Amino acid sequence: MGKLRLVASQEVQEMLGVSRTRAYQITNSKTFPDPVAVLSVGRTWRTEDVEPWIKDHRPDLHDPAQ
């Protein structure tokens, strides 16, 4: 089994290259993956859920080398 890789709101914001407000809007959309945990510091997502979403919804940001 591989390592569990998680990203928080700040990392999602950086992955998308958007403002904190825009990242909040995107992560609250019905199409965005559900968080795996809600911690005192905020929500977290599995990287393996977020990366395909970016590939499908923001193809301009997808790095084909990954």
Side-chain angles (χ1 to χ4, degrees):
M1 180 178 226
K3 279 187 170 181
L4 179 63
R5 296 182 311 145
L6 298 175
V7 291
S9 297
Q10 178 68 35
E11 287 87 4
V12 172
Q13 176 184 337
E14 292 169 6
M15 292 168 77
L16 292 168
V18 296
S19 69
R20 182 172 43 182
T21 300
R22 183 67 183 133
Y24 179 82
Q25 293 168 340
I26 291 170
T27 58
N28 281 305
S29 73
K30 292 182 182 196
T31 64
F32 200 79
D34 291 330
V36 294
V38 179
L39 308 172
S40 61
V41 294
R43 299 176 292 165
T44 59
W45 295 265
R46 293 185 319 168
T47 304
E48 65 191 48
D49 294 336
V50 174
E51 288 175 342
W53 186 93
I54 291 173
K55 181 181 176 185
D56 292 343
H57 293 86
R58 298 289 303 268
D60 57 310
L61 298 177
H62 177 65
D63 181 358
Q66 291 186 354

